[in-house]
Amino acid sequence: MSVMGAGAGGEMGGAPSVAAIEQFAGKGAARSAARRRGRPGAEGGTQRRPSWITYVLLTIVVIISFYPLYYAFLLASSTAPDIARHPIPSLVPGTHFFDNVSRVLESGVPFTQAVINSVIIAVVMSLSVVLFSTLAGFSFAKLRFRGRGPLLVFVIATTAVPTQLGVVPLFLVMKQLHWIGQLQAVIVPGLVTAFGVFWMTQYLEQALPYELIEAARVDGASMLRTFWSIALPAARPAATMLALFTFVASWTNYFWPFIVLGSKNPTLPIALQQLQAAYFKDMSLIMAGVVLSVIPLLILFVIAGRQLVAGIMQGAVKG
Amino acid sequence: MTSTRTPNVAGPTAGDELARTPRRAGFSQTLGRWDVKLSPYLYISPFFLLFIVVGLFPLFYTAFVSVHQWGLLKGQGDYVGLENFTTVLQQEIFWKSVRNTISIFLLSSIPQIAIALVIAAILDANLRAKTFWRMGVLVPYVVAPVAVALIFGQMFADQSGIINQVLRNIGLEGVRWHAEVFPSHVAIATMVNFRWTGYNTLILLAAMQAIPRDLYEAALIDGAGRLRQFFSVTIPMLRPAIIFVIITSTIGGLQIFDEPRMFDQDGRGGSDQQYLTVTNYIYQVGWAQKNFGRAAAVAWLLFLIIVIIGIVNYLITRRISSENQGGKKRKKVGA
């Protein structure tokens, strides 16, 4: 685990105290201290347990993040007249959830198709992003080649390019390929991402010892073989997180799929938009669709939320 | 982002060792040498090829399209120079969309970072059930913006919405969240904040936990209270993480599309374009009016806006947080 911003030591207000001078007397001392403190096991090690006020505040925060989802479920289990009569829904769900769900599935919107499409796109993109990013990350982190430094900087720079702005020409390309309305128009542009390459490079740099690669090479393994049987297994923890992030991003993506897929072959967010356009007077039906679209990711979150949290926090620390 | 050149294990010859293939004669040796030489490029090529085709080329081709007449159906027409740009700049709708985008961006990014900082400070304690609380704040992140917009669109509904009802119950008047400019921006910004605050909280929390605890002890000895510690130790030490959060929320926030698109069933940004954003406008010009040349011009103008606001952001954050850190980039210490 690496620590950032340790060079910012002298920025406290007022004159530095004895402790602070000691702390920053030597870079080495500061470094080892930072490393010691930065380790997850040591976090807050000297602190007492916080008071109950902290838990009350956190409970409020968690309620705020859950309530809108529960609100959606409450509306999805009631009826349109009920919603009009009681803008503040009772905390006990109604009995119409399954009615509303079947109305969603029987509506003119191809909802089932949308679920299938969303699953296909998210799974294919997650697998491919992980594979290509790990391949590139292995190369950047562990292989020597001319131009490696500048090329890696280029990769990082591309994460700041607002690629959404290229939608007009990208649409023209897809039109030339006759891919409009087809899933590959969404999948292909996202087969590998700069974020993924950077992420895997960072991870493999510290997780994959050179000795292992050498051993494989001495045994006569080709580069590809070395990648497959040494680098890929070593990359597994980071690869899992990358797959999760890609899955979530793909599942929730709307702008580009909406432009290129259209209404006949939608993904879930597009189907929700169609539901809204067709049934805007019946919120119970729309919210049933919303709940259906959210449930798969909530299940994923229950299973793998821990990894998502860890991934965000590691990504932040490594910058 | 430090240099990646130096291998950190296995001594000085580690890299050279890699380049050496086992001694074998003839063809297989040549093959092995090519394997070592070409593989690195081969492995990074998928990213670069794809980026060129779906990232770089479209960005530049946008410039080409923007100086032509270009219809969705008719395809490329005459070269018209900067006419698309001048037409767009004379449109009132364009300037409305710029106003809306910047207003929504400010309403979503500033409170969001402030709230995330506060929640992160609360989470940065020796809590019981740490993972539960962290997961609790992250839940909204897995909900699609479209779904968030539908939920909040109803919560903010003028008649049957929960928020106006609560306001009426406590004796206030309901707000016309959809019809008026500023309230609609607040509603849309709330959707963005709902989805992203927890995510940014965790980024800031991670950075907070990397702050050496000695600094707090030292501040305590100097007589700094909780609040003073937060502003004089925590905030300055978080500078790189805060800048990271600001940059990502600028690039993402200015391209906002989903939430305003879903705020009503028509998706045209309201009857008076009160919540039409620039990206919504690109979609309208390009796909509703089928005028690709002009849509490309708007895309380039948005790119310009993002760059300008990015620079302004950078200058402000540099001034606010510290004097002696100047041009230094964030530094990686541990391995």
Side-chain angles (χ1 to χ4, degrees):
Chain A
M1 192 175 213
S2 56
V3 181
M4 62 182 183
E11 290 172 15
M12 298 185 320
S17 69
V18 181
I21 293 170
E22 268 179 25
Q23 178 62 47
F24 296 101
K27 238 186 177 175
R31 246 170 223 222
S32 71
R35 202 175 300 144
R36 200 168 58 240
R37 302 285 162 173
R39 215 170 282 155
E43 77 197 24
T46 54
Q47 286 181 328
R48 287 177 294 118
R49 291 271 179 203
S51 71
W52 59 272
I53 303 172
T54 306
Y55 292 102
V56 171
L57 290 173
L58 285 177
T59 306
I60 294 170
V61 170
V62 170
I63 288 174
I64 293 173
S65 31
F66 272 101
Y67 181 73
L69 299 181
Y70 190 60
Y71 173 83
F73 176 67
L74 289 176
L75 298 198
S77 64
S78 73
T79 60
D82 273 350
I83 294 171
R85 236 175 292 136
H86 309 286
I88 304 179
S90 110
L91 282 175
V92 183
T95 53
H96 300 275
F97 180 65
F98 291 103
D99 293 349
N100 289 328
V101 166
S102 56
R103 281 166 64 217
V104 169
L105 298 180
E106 285 156 15
S107 70
V109 176
F111 205 86
T112 323
Q113 187 62 42
V115 175
I116 297 170
N117 286 345
S118 280
V119 170
I120 293 174
I121 292 174
V123 168
V124 173
M125 277 173 73
S126 303
L127 291 177
S128 125
V129 166
V130 164
L131 177 69
F132 288 125
S133 301
T134 314
L135 204 54
F138 170 60
S139 182
F140 275 126
K142 295 291 157 179
L143 304 182
R144 303 199 124 198
F145 57 95
R146 207 180 265 276
R148 178 171 76 165
L151 285 172
L152 186 59
V153 170
F154 181 80
V155 171
I156 294 164
T158 61
T159 58
V161 177
T163 42
Q164 275 205 8
L165 302 185
V167 281
V168 169
L170 198 55
F171 184 85
L172 294 174
V173 170
M174 295 302 167
K175 209 172 155 211
Q176 280 293 316
L177 294 168
H178 300 289
W179 281 7
I180 304 292
Q182 299 189 40
L183 298 190
Q184 62 263 38
V186 176
I187 294 172
V188 171
L191 282 177
V192 49
T193 59
F195 169 76
V197 173
F198 178 58
W199 173 263
M200 293 313 300
T201 305
Q202 286 257 312
Y203 183 78
L204 283 174
E205 226 165 67
Q206 42 108 18
L208 180 61
Y210 279 97
E211 290 94 327
L212 271 181
I213 305 173
E214 279 166 45
R217 298 290 297 158
V218 169
D219 285 351
S222 69
M223 276 297 182
L224 202 61
R225 182 72 201 272
T226 311
F227 166 75
W228 192 257
S229 44
I230 306 288
L232 211 50
R236 200 178 287 160
T240 311
M241 291 175 190
L242 182 59
L244 283 170
F245 283 116
T246 311
F247 196 95
V248 173
S250 153
W251 192 271
T252 57
N253 190 16
Y254 174 63
F255 184 51
W256 175 244
F258 169 65
I259 284 178
V260 83
L261 284 184
S263 52
K264 293 210 181 75
N265 196 18
T267 59
L268 268 175
I270 303 171
L272 289 183
Q273 179 259 317
Q274 289 175 267
L275 279 183
Q276 183 202 32
Y279 300 93
F280 60 93
K281 284 183 183 137
D282 188 351
M283 266 297 150
S284 64
L285 187 150
I286 295 176
M287 286 300 153
V290 167
V291 170
L292 284 183
S293 82
V294 171
I295 285 175
L297 277 200
L298 278 184
I299 294 173
L300 183 77
F301 189 76
V302 169
I303 300 168
R306 199 178 281 267
Q307 263 101 342
L308 277 175
V309 169
I312 293 169
M313 293 187 63
Q314 271 177 36
V317 174
K318 289 198 190 111
Chain B
M1 283 155 242
T2 49
S3 157
T4 51
R5 265 163 227 260
T6 34
N8 43 8
V9 277
T13 57
D16 308 20
E17 211 82 57
L18 272 185
R20 207 180 295 151
T21 43
R23 279 188 183 278
R24 252 182 258 158
F27 179 67
S28 76
Q29 192 181 0
T30 324
L31 205 66
R33 204 179 303 132
W34 280 107
D35 186 23
V36 168
K37 273 209 170 132
L38 287 183
S39 291
Y41 296 106
L42 199 64
Y43 298 168
I44 61 170
S45 59
F47 169 77
F48 285 94
L49 290 178
L50 194 70
F51 180 74
I52 289 168
V53 176
V54 305
L56 218 53
F57 163 73
L59 216 55
F60 287 107
Y61 201 60
T62 305
F64 180 75
V65 175
S66 72
V67 292
H68 288 82
Q69 267 187 348
W70 205 300
L72 177 57
L73 304 173
K74 282 174 283 180
Q76 186 179 353
D78 297 336
Y79 171 82
V80 292
L82 294 179
E83 197 188 294
N84 284 323
F85 287 90
T86 49
T87 320
V88 167
L89 289 173
Q90 282 162 9
Q91 305 262 321
E92 201 197 336
I93 299 185
F94 170 73
W95 291 108
K96 271 189 187 169
S97 75
V98 171
R99 172 201 69 184
N100 297 340
T101 306
I102 292 176
S103 159
I104 293 171
F105 162 67
L106 291 177
L107 285 170
S108 56
S109 56
I110 295 173
Q112 189 184 128
I113 291 169
I115 297 169
L117 267 173
V118 172
I119 302 176
I122 300 175
L123 280 170
D124 184 26
N126 194 12
L127 292 171
R128 285 175 206 280
K130 246 176 234 161
T131 313
F132 169 78
W133 299 113
R134 290 176 186 174
M135 280 173 68
V137 300
L138 192 63
V139 169
Y141 166 70
V142 300
V143 185
V146 166
V148 172
L150 285 171
I151 297 172
F152 278 77
Q154 173 59 22
M155 291 175 105
F156 281 105
D158 295 0
Q159 290 307 319
S160 61
I162 183 170
I163 290 170
N164 269 354
Q165 188 59 41
V166 169
L167 289 177
R168 281 186 223 116
N169 284 359
I170 58 173
L172 296 170
E173 263 180 59
V175 178
R176 296 167 69 214
W177 296 108
H178 284 73
E180 283 173 35
V181 177
F182 187 70
S184 68
H185 295 181
V186 171
I188 290 168
T190 307
M191 301 170 190
V192 181
N193 292 334
F194 171 71
R195 184 153 188 260
W196 288 106
T197 303
Y199 185 92
N200 287 327
T201 299
L202 292 182
I203 291 179
L204 295 172
L205 172 63
M208 269 183 201
Q209 296 195 329
I211 299 175
R213 300 286 145 173
D214 319 42
L215 288 182
Y216 291 106
E217 284 160 28
L220 201 63
I221 293 169
D222 282 353
R226 270 274 184 89
L227 215 58
R228 183 70 203 269
Q229 284 180 30
F230 183 72
F231 284 106
S232 299
V233 180
T234 311
I235 301 275
M237 291 295 283
L238 285 185
R239 186 171 165 272
I242 293 176
I243 291 179
F244 173 78
V245 169
I246 289 177
I247 290 173
T248 50
S249 69
T250 306
I251 295 170
L254 292 172
Q255 296 180 69
I256 183 171
F257 177 85
D258 303 4
E259 290 88 347
R261 169 69 184 77
M262 300 297 295
F263 196 43
D264 63 42
Q265 64 273 9
D266 301 326
R268 293 195 207 102
S271 52
D272 194 29
Q273 290 91 38
Q274 64 270 33
Y275 45 88
L276 181 88
T277 63
V278 181
T279 311
N280 291 147
Y281 186 54
I282 292 175
Y283 178 78
Q284 273 197 14
V285 173
W287 282 269
Q289 300 169 16
K290 305 191 189 333
N291 190 339
F292 268 24
R294 206 176 287 170
V298 182
W300 260 101
L301 291 170
L302 178 57
F303 182 66
L304 212 64
I305 294 171
I306 293 178
V307 170
I308 291 170
I309 294 187
I311 292 171
V312 171
N313 258 340
Y314 176 73
L315 292 177
I316 293 176
T317 43
R318 201 172 65 165
R319 180 146 324 162
I320 286 179
S321 36
S322 81
E323 308 78 55
N324 52 3
Q325 271 264 295
K328 242 193 230 172
K329 287 241 170 101
R330 76 184 69 159
K331 218 171 164 187
K332 198 164 109 182
V333 179

